[in-house]
Amino acid sequence: MCGIFCYIGATENSFSDSEEIFQICCTLLSNRGPDESGRLVYDSQVLFYGSVLWHQGSTLCKQPLETDRTVLLFNGDIFQPRDDDEVSDTQWLLKRIEKCSEEEDLSQLFRQLRGPFSVIFLRKEKRRVYFARDSMGRNSLLVGRSKRAAGGLFVTSVSGNIPSNDVCELPPAGLYFVDLGAPFVTGLHPWVEPDGIKTLTLFGSLVIASKHKLDRAPYAEKEHQVGHCHHVQTDFNFRELTYGKEFPVREACENLLKSPEVDNVCEKLLATLRDSVKERVIRTTKYCKNCLKAVPPQCTHPKLGVLFSGGIDCTLLALLADAYVPADCPIDLLNVAFEKVTRERKKQSPPIDWNVPDRLTGHSSLRELQQLRPNRVWNFVEINVSRAELNAQQKTITNLVFPLHTVLDESLGAALWFASRGAGQMQGIPYTSPCRVLLLGSGADELFGGYTRHRTAFERSFRERQKLGDNETKAIEWADRALEEELQLDWERLPSRNLARDDRVIGDNGVTPRTPYLQEDFVALVQSLRVNQKCYYPLGVGIGDKLILRLCAFKLGLSEVCVLKKRALQFGCRIADRRQNAADTSMFLENP
C-alpha cells in the first residue's frame, strides 16, 4: 500500500496553490506509506510525491521512480507471474510501460494487470500524464481541481476535506490522460468498449472523452487464466435439487453436495479462491511492522490479519490462509466492538457490554477454527471502542472517508479504521497487532447474493408474478431475473460505494487491505454461474443466501459457520444507530 500524489499546473510555473494542497494531503499520504517517501518536480509544472509501504521485491523501491523517459507512482499489488520476484512490482511495471510505443499498447498493458492498483505516470517525450484505477476500483484515487485562478489539477490516493476545491473519486473507467498545458481537457482509454463515443463529466468542467475502443471486461481476459478453468457450464439449479424436499439445514448441505455438479462447482470455486488467498498472503515482506526497521534474523510475529466478525466470508478466508502462513507465525483475527449509542441521560453509566453480535459470533467461529486447525495460534484481538475514543478520532475518520459523507460511510469507515489499527486486547492483556496485511471479505455479498435487498428483490418479484397469475415455476424465473438485475446493480456501484473508501481508511494505519473474493479469476468464475446456482432464498435466511459459498465452507468442515445469518458490519459491531437513515449526512460522531 502506498500514498501517491500528483499536482499538474495549468501552465508552466503555475504552482500558486500546489504546495498548499500537497501539505494538506501530505500527512494522510505519509501514513499510507511509512517505510519511505520522496517528491519530485518536473519542468516547473508537475509535482509528484510517493510514500511506500513495502511488500514486493527483495529491497524497498522508493517512489517516485524516474528514468530519462518516465516518472512513475504506483499503489497496489501486481499478482501475475513474473520472471524475477526479487524485483518490486513497481520496477517491473516501469519496464513494461517503457516497452509500450503506442497508446493502444499502454491500454492493453493496464487492462491485463492482475491485482488491485492505482497509478500515476508521466511520459516525458509526449509531455502527457496518465492516471487510473483498476477496473474493479479496488484502490482509491481521487481527482480534484483547484478553484483558484490559474489553479491546477491534482490526483491523490487520499486528500482530506480540502477547502475551496472540487474533489471526487475517480471512476474506474479506464486509463485517463492529460497533456501538460491543458489539464482540464482529459482523455480516456476505456477498460471496456463504450457504446459509441461518450463523455464523462467530473465536477462540471472537466470532460473526459473516450478514445481507443476495446472489448471484453478486463477480468474476463483469457490471459488471466493460470491453472484453473474460470468459466463453469453446468445445468443444475438449486430449486430443482430441493423441490419437494424438507430437511434440517446441515442435512441440506450434505444432500446438495451429493450432486456431482454442485460438488464440482464447489471444488472449482475453492481451488480458485485458494490461489487468490495464497498470492495475497505470500506476497509481502518477511517482517511485521515492529521488526521491519530492526531487521532481525527471523520474525515470527503476525504479519497477516483478518477482519473477523465470525461470519462465513471472513472465517473461510482465515481457514484457507492457514495453509500459506508459516506454522510458527500466529494469525491475528481482528474483532471490533463499539460502545452502544444511548440517548438517555443517566446519573451513573452502567458498565459497557462489549458482547456485541460480532463478538459472540467471532468467539463461536474461533472455536471452530481451533478445532479444524489446532496447531495454529489464532490471536483473537478484541478491539473495544468507547464513544469518547470514537469522538476523539472524528476528524481523522471524516478526512479519510471524504469525499463520501453519509452515515453509512462514516460508520463503516470508523469500524474499519479501529479494526485495522489493531489496538485491543487478548484475554484481557493489552495487545496491538503488528500485521501489515489485512484480509477482507469484500465482494462476497455482491457476488453471491448476501444482502437483504437481494432477497427482497427476489421475493417482491415472485409475489408480483403470482398476483398476475403465473405458476410457481414461471414466477421463480421472473424472480431470478429481478435478482440478477439487483446483483448487477450492486456490482457496478461497488467501487464507488465501498472499495475506495475502505482502502483510504485501512491504509491510514500502514496496513494493506487485500480482498481475495475480488480476484479476477474468482470473479470471472462466479459470474459465469446463474443466480439460481449461487443462492436460493426459499431455503431460508442463513442458508439460501450465498448458498454455493456456504456449501464450500461446509466441505471444509465449517459446519457451524456455514449456517450463520448475514449481519451488516455496522450493526454487528454496534457502531450504527438503527434509527438513523444510512444515506443521511453523518452526525453519529457527535457527542451522545
Side-chain angles (χ1 to χ4, degrees):
M1 186 55 59
C2 302
I4 60 177
F5 174 91
C6 176
Y7 182 95
I8 307 166
T11 58
E12 290 186 14
N13 301 304
S14 63
F15 267 169
S16 57
D17 61 346
S18 63
E19 195 62 33
E20 179 184 349
I21 291 174
F22 170 67
Q23 289 302 327
I24 292 173
C25 299
C26 186
T27 299
L28 295 176
L29 289 164
S30 298
N31 290 346
R32 294 174 61 85
D35 300 333
E36 185 62 89
S37 65
R39 60 180 284 170
L40 180 153
V41 175
Y42 175 77
D43 207 15
S44 302
Q45 193 173 353
V46 189
L47 168 64
F48 295 96
Y49 173 84
S51 64
V52 178
L53 179 63
W54 174 32
H55 282 300
Q56 298 198 41
S58 59
T59 58
L60 186 150
C61 176
K62 186 175 178 178
Q63 296 197 54
L65 202 55
E66 183 181 23
T67 68
D68 57 350
R69 300 166 57 190
T70 309
V71 178
L72 172 64
L73 291 167
F74 179 74
N75 168 40
D77 287 299
I78 296 176
F79 288 130
Q80 59 227 78
R82 305 198 296 271
D83 293 336
D84 186 2
D85 285 337
E86 296 295 303
V87 174
S88 79
D89 45 2
T90 305
Q91 292 168 315
W92 179 90
L93 180 60
L94 177 64
K95 292 179 181 178
R96 296 305 181 278
I97 289 173
E98 294 194 337
K99 287 182 179 179
C100 296
S101 56
E102 304 294 335
E103 295 288 283
E104 291 89 341
D105 300 332
L106 274 178
S107 300
Q108 198 68 4
L109 168 65
F110 283 96
R111 288 183 79 245
Q112 293 180 5
L113 287 184
R114 293 172 52 83
F117 70 85
S118 55
V119 64
I120 306 168
F121 63 97
L122 165 73
R123 303 194 92 179
K124 295 179 180 179
E125 184 179 355
K126 284 184 172 288
R127 292 181 57 79
R128 177 172 284 182
V129 177
Y130 301 80
F131 47 98
R133 296 166 66 195
D134 71 82
S135 64
M136 294 187 221
R138 289 166 288 189
N139 280 10
S140 173
L141 201 61
L142 308 179
V143 59
R145 175 184 171 182
S146 169
K147 286 186 175 179
R148 291 189 181 181
L153 180 76
F154 58 94
V155 185
T156 179
S157 299
V158 59
S159 70
N161 192 350
I162 301 179
S164 304
N165 291 273
D166 286 320
V167 181
C168 68
E169 289 183 348
L170 183 74
L175 181 63
Y176 298 79
F177 59 88
V178 296
D179 292 323
L180 299 188
F184 302 133
V185 180
T186 306
L188 171 69
H189 302 312
W191 298 140
V192 293
E193 182 176 358
D195 246 354
I197 300 299
K198 291 186 175 181
T199 59
L200 177 63
T201 303
L202 301 179
F203 38 78
S205 58
L206 179 62
V207 178
I208 313 299
S210 295
K211 310 276 187 183
H212 300 297
K213 297 181 182 180
L214 302 167
D215 60 357
R216 292 181 297 179
Y219 48 86
E221 292 282 351
K222 289 182 179 179
E223 289 84 349
H224 287 162
Q225 299 181 10
V226 287
H228 301 289
C229 176
H230 301 122
H231 181 81
V232 177
Q233 289 184 328
T234 183
D235 293 329
F236 83 87
N237 72 72
F238 286 125
R239 178 174 182 269
E240 291 180 357
L241 291 173
T242 59
Y243 188 74
K245 300 176 183 177
E246 293 186 12
F247 26 60
V249 171
R250 288 175 182 79
E251 287 186 23
C253 293
E254 291 174 356
N255 278 274
L256 287 170
L257 286 169
K258 289 177 181 177
S259 163
E261 289 181 301
V262 172
D263 189 68
N264 180 54
V265 168
C266 288
E267 286 291 343
K268 289 183 177 180
L269 287 170
L270 286 171
T272 309
L273 188 58
R274 281 191 185 96
D275 286 344
S276 178
V277 169
K278 178 181 179 181
E279 63 193 9
R280 282 155 177 77
V281 170
I282 67 173
R283 293 289 183 94
T284 187
T285 61
K286 57 184 179 180
Y287 300 108
C288 72
K289 282 182 180 180
N290 300 333
C291 293
L292 189 65
K293 300 292 185 183
V295 192
Q298 186 178 19
C299 170
T300 58
H301 304 128
K303 302 163 196 67
L304 176 75
V306 182
L307 180 64
F308 195 74
S309 65
I312 180 175
D313 307 336
C314 60
T315 308
L316 181 56
L317 294 182
L319 183 63
L320 294 176
D322 169 75
Y324 308 109
V325 174
D328 58 353
C329 289
I331 295 175
D332 282 352
L333 306 177
L334 306 177
N335 183 278
V336 65
F338 289 83
E339 179 183 357
K340 187 177 182 179
V341 177
T342 177
R343 298 177 185 275
E344 298 178 8
R345 297 290 179 180
K346 297 181 179 179
K347 292 182 180 179
Q348 186 173 2
S349 299
I352 299 172
D353 179 12
W354 297 114
N355 285 320
V356 301
D358 280 359
R359 180 64 47 80
L360 298 176
T361 56
H363 278 297
S364 173
S365 298
L366 169 65
R367 288 191 291 271
E368 195 158 19
L369 285 174
Q370 290 171 331
Q371 291 168 4
L372 292 170
R373 299 292 185 272
N375 295 325
R376 169 68 60 193
V377 175
W378 301 99
N379 287 342
F380 189 82
V381 187
E382 298 183 349
I383 299 166
N384 300 328
V385 185
S386 68
R387 303 310 290 189
E389 189 175 8
L390 177 60
N391 292 331
Q393 299 297 336
Q394 173 181 359
K395 185 175 180 181
T396 296
I397 294 166
T398 300
N399 279 332
L400 292 167
V401 167
F402 181 83
L404 307 182
H405 53 75
T406 68
V407 168
L408 180 63
D409 291 316
E410 288 199 343
S411 294
L412 292 172
L416 292 171
W417 190 84
F418 281 101
S420 58
R421 188 178 66 163
Q425 60 182 29
M426 288 197 306
Q427 298 178 336
I429 301 173
Y431 174 84
T432 298
S433 172
C435 69
R436 304 173 76 246
V437 172
L438 183 62
L439 296 186
L440 281 74
S442 304
D445 288 311
E446 288 81 1
L447 286 169
F448 293 102
Y451 290 124
T452 301
R453 60 180 172 269
H454 300 150
R455 174 184 293 277
T456 300
F458 178 91
E459 292 177 346
R460 183 193 303 118
S461 176
F462 181 75
R463 289 193 302 269
E464 289 173 353
R465 297 309 303 184
Q466 284 197 315
K467 287 180 181 178
L468 292 173
D470 286 352
N471 61 33
E472 182 177 330
T473 300
K474 203 67 173 175
I476 288 286
E477 290 176 1
W478 279 97
D480 282 343
R481 292 175 200 167
L483 173 59
E484 184 69 63
E485 291 174 2
E486 191 69 22
L487 288 174
Q488 184 60 32
L489 178 62
D490 258 4
W491 180 254
E492 290 172 355
R493 60 192 178 192
L494 179 63
S496 59
R497 270 193 166 188
N498 300 38
L499 300 179
R501 175 201 67 210
D502 298 352
D503 175 78
R504 291 192 295 275
V505 168
I506 294 171
D508 189 63
N509 288 306
V511 176
T512 294
R514 288 179 173 172
T515 52
Y517 293 109
L518 293 176
Q519 190 238 36
E520 293 82 357
D521 300 332
F522 190 75
V523 169
L525 181 59
V526 175
Q527 292 190 338
S528 73
L529 297 171
R530 301 192 305 271
V531 291
N532 58 16
Q533 296 171 335
K534 301 176 190 177
C535 50
Y536 186 55
Y537 299 117
L539 290 182
V541 179
I543 182 67
D545 49 305
K546 297 193 286 192
L547 177 54
I548 193 70
L549 190 64
R550 294 179 186 277
L551 294 175
C552 290
F554 188 85
K555 275 180 68 70
L556 296 182
L558 293 169
S559 58
E560 300 294 331
V561 171
C562 76
V563 296
L564 289 175
K565 295 180 180 179
K566 161 70 183 177
R567 187 186 298 112
L569 173 62
Q570 65 271 28
F571 298 124
C573 70
R574 206 166 51 189
I575 188 174
D577 184 346
R578 289 182 181 272
R579 288 169 287 189
Q580 287 183 301
N581 186 334
D584 287 347
T585 299
S586 174
M587 297 181 68
F588 83 90
L589 287 173
E590 292 184 346
N591 289 322

